[in-house]
Amino acid sequence: MKKDWNARLEEITQTDKAIWATGRAFAGIDEAGRGPLAGPVCAAAVLLPEGLVIPGLNDSKKLTAKKRDALYDIICESAVAFGIAFATVDEIEALNIKGATYLAMNRAIADMEPAPVLALVDGNDKNELDIPAIKVVKGDSLCASIAAASVLASLLPPLLLGRIVDSLSDGTPLVFTAAL
């Protein structure tokens, strides 16, 4: 039996509510591309305003492409701050995928203003962030701020890969700008 929207809303905002109650600025953090066949690993960090409810927010892997696109815009417009960053293939090879993932996560945090003092991170790895972190297993399904980061991180790698494929197929030089 499917959960009704109110039960799902309570589930995905429970962790965020508990942290908001402490008064600490926190960001949800997630990555995409940790198991890539090609390309960089992408990480996003999102600081949502207290009490924000984003209908339909969920783990990006459980959303359609159309829903992810719509949520991406809502998250970017609604967030107090967000950061999106990458670790390159060379960095993945030098540091291993776990080290490169934390490098990208730290870059995403460093890009935020205001800066969070705490991170909620999907998974259960040892914390290798530059700020204190709380690990949340299946956090992209259980925590609104991590789900928001999941959505932001999930959209850029396919866009970059699409640009790479397009540039290889038509001979156009590959150029990346800040406005992807």
Side-chain angles (χ1 to χ4, degrees):
M1 180 176 184
K2 277 188 153 182
K3 293 181 182 176
D4 69 20
W5 169 244
N6 290 333
R8 177 68 186 130
L9 180 63
E10 182 59 34
E11 179 181 51
I12 200 165
T13 59
Q14 186 174 10
T15 302
D16 294 82
K17 286 177 183 177
I19 305 298
W20 280 324
T22 70
R24 297 161 74 184
F26 68 94
I29 302 176
D30 200 12
E31 52 70 33
R34 193 163 175 172
L37 295 174
V41 63
C42 180
V46 179
L47 195 164
L48 295 174
E50 183 173 354
L52 177 67
V53 174
I54 302 175
L57 184 61
N58 203 350
D59 175 358
S60 64
K61 295 179 290 298
K62 296 178 181 176
L63 300 169
T64 65
K66 184 177 179 179
K67 186 67 174 176
R68 281 192 303 271
D69 288 345
L71 286 170
Y72 183 93
D73 292 336
I74 293 167
I75 293 163
C76 290
E77 292 168 7
S78 303
V80 172
F82 67 91
I84 302 171
F86 293 89
T88 66
V89 172
D90 288 341
E91 290 167 328
I92 293 169
E93 290 176 2
L95 300 172
N96 74 43
I97 190 63
K98 181 179 171 190
T101 298
Y102 278 98
L103 177 64
M105 288 178 171
N106 279 315
R107 286 175 175 163
I109 293 167
D111 197 34
M112 297 176 71
E113 184 59 45
V117 297
L118 177 69
L120 299 180
V121 184
D122 184 34
N124 62 358
D125 291 338
K126 177 181 166 253
N127 183 28
E128 295 182 29
L129 294 176
D130 294 337
I131 63 173
I134 297 172
K135 299 300 187 139
V136 183
V137 176
K138 298 187 187 267
D140 45 7
S141 292
L142 298 173
C143 180
S145 57
I146 295 174
S150 169
V151 170
L152 296 191
S154 71
L155 286 178
L156 293 181
L159 178 65
L160 291 176
L161 188 55
R163 286 195 175 181
I164 291 167
V165 169
D166 289 347
S167 74
L168 295 174
S169 64
D170 71 6
T172 305
L174 181 62
V175 178
F176 294 108
T177 65
L180 294 174

